Amino acid sequence: MSRTQEKHNRSVSKDVLVVGGGTSGFVAAIAAARNGASVLLLEQRDHLGGTHSGGMVMMIRSMRHMKAPANMEQKKIMMTGYESSFDDEQVVRSIVQEYINRMLEIGSAWGRKDEATARQMFDPEIAKWVIQDMVAEAGVEVWLNTQATDVIMEGNALKGVVIESLRDRVEVHAGITIDTTGDGDIAAAAGAAFEFGSPEDGKCQPASLYFAVGGVQLDKTIAYMRDHANEFGEEYVKTMVGLKEQNKPITMFPFKEKIREALKNGDYPIPYGVETVNPDTLSYIVRPMFRNGKFRYDVTYHNMDMAYNFDATDRVELTKATLAMRDLANKMAKFYRKYVPGYEDSYLSYTAQSVGIRDSRRIVCDYTLTREDVLAGQVFPDGIGRYGSLMDVHDKSGKKSLSLVEVGGHGWFHVPFRSLLPKGIENLMVAGRCISADYDAQGSVRSQAASMVTGQATGTAAALAVQQKRKLRELDVSALQEVLKAQNQVI
């Protein structure tokens, strides 16, 4: 028996619409709902948290100020210890710290309550569950597997978005819309100007696809490193051995001599979009997972630059890069099994559900955060949160070392409210990695903690604007700051 399906048209209205349920989006939705708004959260995947969860990015950088290493040896020592460091000032709290506390309570994050490490470790799989619980408790309505296909405009004012499938067409009307898509899709569709990639050539930083390798005998790996300390750096090896003995988080760096050997034998895979790699400039990182109250040293999680010179907003280019990265993950697992001690009986356990895109569109807002602002530790009168992360800019060619530049001044800078308001567009804010920042400054504010800070600020501002029946640019920013402070946001 056959039947035909009529396409249904309907309309939904909310105070606040958040498009994108990733790292900044879920926080924006929670903040808006807790401040009294009716909220709809749209997410194109089947889980919330984005790269924070399904992307397997297993740490939040930097809820504290982070120092910059002077050289590669110091870099390895410092980054190995960041995951267990409570040094320097904590500048990110509020919903982010609450989330970490909840993860700590169920043995899915390492550390201690009400304090975060410089690189806060957590279990990304359990994060999906904790995030959806926090969103539900706030009263947010969530639509998964949903992607906006058009925007609803009246002049320069965004009134909502259209969601369309073969089954139905839904118009979602909202007083305020927050674009947390990462790529700034809604803002771009609404006519907002944007910058893309490096000002030199328009190319973006390379992308990553986290992957996990199981069946690891990490004690054997560390024993090899101890026996070859001159190759790895004696202080780095000493630091890592000490952390492992204390059952603390550790970070391993590339086995460069093994890479040279594999390259000579044709066994080392080359990332998508480049022709070769330089072992001396490789700086990818490998970590064990903290799960069910302890570190699982038999499984390691790998984060490396895997795809270069493609446009993440182009579905064809993104597809090619994603397929290439999964292929590379399989080949990297084979490299480790064949060349790295302790991995002889290892296997590729799984790859992330979503690709880690470092940058694409940067929406031009009323103010663009600059490299100079970050280096100076700039304080803004309309600051909605502090951040102290290194400017982390990955080389676009794969030939140079990772650039890590420290925040100056107080060790933190303000993210100004103006950097969240797309120039010339009403009723719209952006949060996450697509906020208004130049190429270098975005290397800092693109990361997890900053995305959550901007998410909370936009959600709170949206709720206040709807309640007060004001345009976003008419909000009393000092009043917004007071609300954020009352909710333990550090201003």
Side-chain angles (χ1 to χ4, degrees):
M1 182 177 181
S2 64
R3 64 180 183 179
T4 59
Q5 178 174 286
E6 292 185 4
K7 195 165 189 175
H8 299 285
N9 292 280
R10 61 193 179 102
S11 178
V12 174
S13 293
K14 294 286 183 180
D15 293 334
V16 177
L17 170 65
V18 182
V19 186
T23 306
S24 59
F26 86 84
V27 177
I30 290 171
R34 286 182 177 178
N35 284 283
S38 62
V39 183
L40 176 60
L41 174 60
L42 307 181
E43 169 51 44
Q44 65 178 334
R45 297 185 175 88
D46 62 0
H47 64 276
L48 299 177
T51 54
H52 182 86
S53 54
M56 287 168 46
V57 178
M58 51 191 285
M59 57 86 194
I60 301 177
R61 186 197 82 192
S62 308
M63 294 173 70
R64 294 179 182 274
H65 167 70
M66 291 178 69
K67 292 184 173 67
N71 51 52
M72 180 58 72
E73 181 65 19
Q74 190 183 69
K75 172 186 171 183
K76 291 195 293 185
I77 297 168
M78 292 175 67
M79 292 186 69
T80 300
Y82 269 143
E83 280 81 356
S84 56
S85 171
F86 292 93
D87 296 337
D88 293 324
E89 180 183 7
Q90 183 167 341
V91 295
V92 177
R93 294 187 179 275
S94 201
I95 292 176
V96 192
Q97 186 63 60
E98 176 190 342
Y99 159 73
I100 290 298
N101 284 350
R102 291 177 68 140
M103 294 286 279
L104 286 166
E105 289 170 3
I106 58 175
S108 295
W110 186 90
R112 53 198 189 213
K113 187 177 180 180
D114 295 329
E115 293 186 82
T117 59
R119 297 170 76 104
Q120 178 62 57
M121 299 283 288
F122 65 92
D123 181 341
E125 186 60 36
I126 302 303
K128 298 174 186 174
W129 173 49
V130 172
I131 289 169
Q132 71 183 40
D133 273 4
M134 290 180 68
V135 168
E137 290 166 11
V140 175
E141 184 175 352
V142 178
W143 292 0
L144 298 176
N145 304 301
T146 303
Q147 188 168 7
T149 57
D150 201 356
V151 294
I152 303 169
M153 302 292 296
E154 287 185 8
N156 69 335
L158 179 66
K159 294 297 182 178
V161 303
V162 175
I163 299 163
E164 193 162 12
S165 69
L166 294 174
R167 177 178 178 177
D168 58 8
R169 181 182 186 277
V170 184
E171 289 190 1
V172 181
H173 296 267
I176 302 293
T177 297
I178 305 172
D179 183 342
T180 52
T181 61
D183 292 323
D185 289 330
I186 303 303
F194 59 86
E195 297 177 336
F196 193 95
S198 166
E200 301 166 355
D201 54 18
K203 293 181 179 179
C204 296
Q205 296 182 58
S208 300
L209 183 73
Y210 264 82
F211 61 94
V213 176
V216 180
Q217 295 176 287
L218 202 61
D219 285 335
K220 187 174 180 180
T221 308
I222 292 176
Y224 171 83
M225 296 175 71
R226 188 190 294 117
D227 292 342
H228 298 77
N230 289 336
E231 175 186 335
F232 296 95
E234 292 186 4
E235 285 301 315
Y236 159 59
V237 174
K238 181 180 177 181
T239 299
M240 193 170 67
V241 169
L243 292 170
K244 172 66 167 57
E245 289 175 348
Q246 299 173 64
N247 295 312
K248 289 184 175 181
I250 60 174
T251 296
M252 292 194 302
F253 287 85
F255 289 72
K256 295 185 177 181
E257 293 307 314
K258 296 296 184 182
I259 292 172
R260 288 189 176 89
E261 183 182 350
L263 282 169
K264 183 178 180 181
N265 296 334
D267 289 336
Y268 192 80
I270 305 302
Y272 177 81
V274 293
E275 296 180 354
T276 187
V277 295
N278 181 353
D280 291 324
T281 61
L282 285 176
S283 58
Y284 62 79
I285 49 182
V286 178
R287 300 183 178 100
M289 171 57 67
F290 188 83
R291 178 164 286 175
N292 197 27
K294 64 180 180 180
F295 281 100
R296 306 290 167 163
Y297 293 112
D298 60 336
V299 181
T300 54
Y301 288 70
H302 300 240
N303 175 23
M304 61 182 295
D305 295 341
M306 301 172 79
Y308 294 76
N309 303 318
F310 73 97
D311 180 353
T313 66
D314 183 307
R315 72 181 68 193
V316 174
E317 291 191 29
L318 179 58
T319 296
K320 291 178 180 178
T322 301
L323 295 175
M325 285 188 275
R326 287 216 162 85
D327 178 66
L328 185 69
N330 276 274
K331 291 176 179 176
M332 282 297 296
K334 291 179 182 178
F335 158 74
Y336 267 81
R337 184 164 57 247
K338 183 173 181 178
Y339 285 90
V340 180
Y343 282 80
E344 292 86 352
D345 196 35
S346 67
Y347 54 90
L348 181 66
S349 183
Y350 49 88
T351 58
Q353 292 172 263
S354 52
V355 173
I357 304 298
R358 290 186 172 86
D359 73 299
S360 56
R361 297 187 189 99
R362 303 187 306 278
I363 303 302
V364 176
C365 293
D366 290 355
Y367 182 83
T368 298
L369 191 71
T370 67
R371 172 188 175 90
E372 290 71 30
D373 292 332
V374 174
L375 292 179
Q378 188 66 50
V379 176
F380 292 100
D382 64 334
I384 47 75
R386 298 180 183 182
Y387 199 51
S389 176
L390 303 167
M391 281 196 304
D392 177 355
V393 181
H394 292 232
D395 178 54
K396 305 183 299 298
S397 68
K399 299 176 182 179
K400 300 178 183 178
S401 297
L402 173 71
S403 173
L404 297 172
V405 182
E406 187 173 355
V407 175
H410 309 277
W412 54 264
F413 59 91
H414 270 147
V415 179
F417 183 55
R418 290 165 294 161
S419 294
L420 314 179
L421 301 174
K423 186 175 290 187
I425 309 294
E426 298 290 346
N427 307 338
L428 175 65
M429 285 183 285
V430 291
R433 63 175 171 83
C434 64
I435 72 168
S436 197
D438 70 21
Y439 183 71
D440 288 333
Q442 195 263 0
S444 178
V445 295
R446 67 176 171 80
S447 55
Q448 301 275 10
S451 293
M452 296 165 113
V453 166
T454 56
Q456 182 163 353
T458 53
T460 304
L464 294 178
V466 169
Q467 290 164 5
Q468 298 172 13
K469 297 182 180 179
R470 292 186 177 185
K471 293 182 178 181
L472 290 166
R473 290 173 175 83
E474 295 174 350
L475 277 179
D476 181 345
V477 177
S478 62
L480 169 61
Q481 291 169 329
E482 289 305 312
V483 173
L484 290 168
K485 287 179 186 176
Q487 295 169 0
N488 208 26
Q489 181 89 296
V490 183
I491 303 295

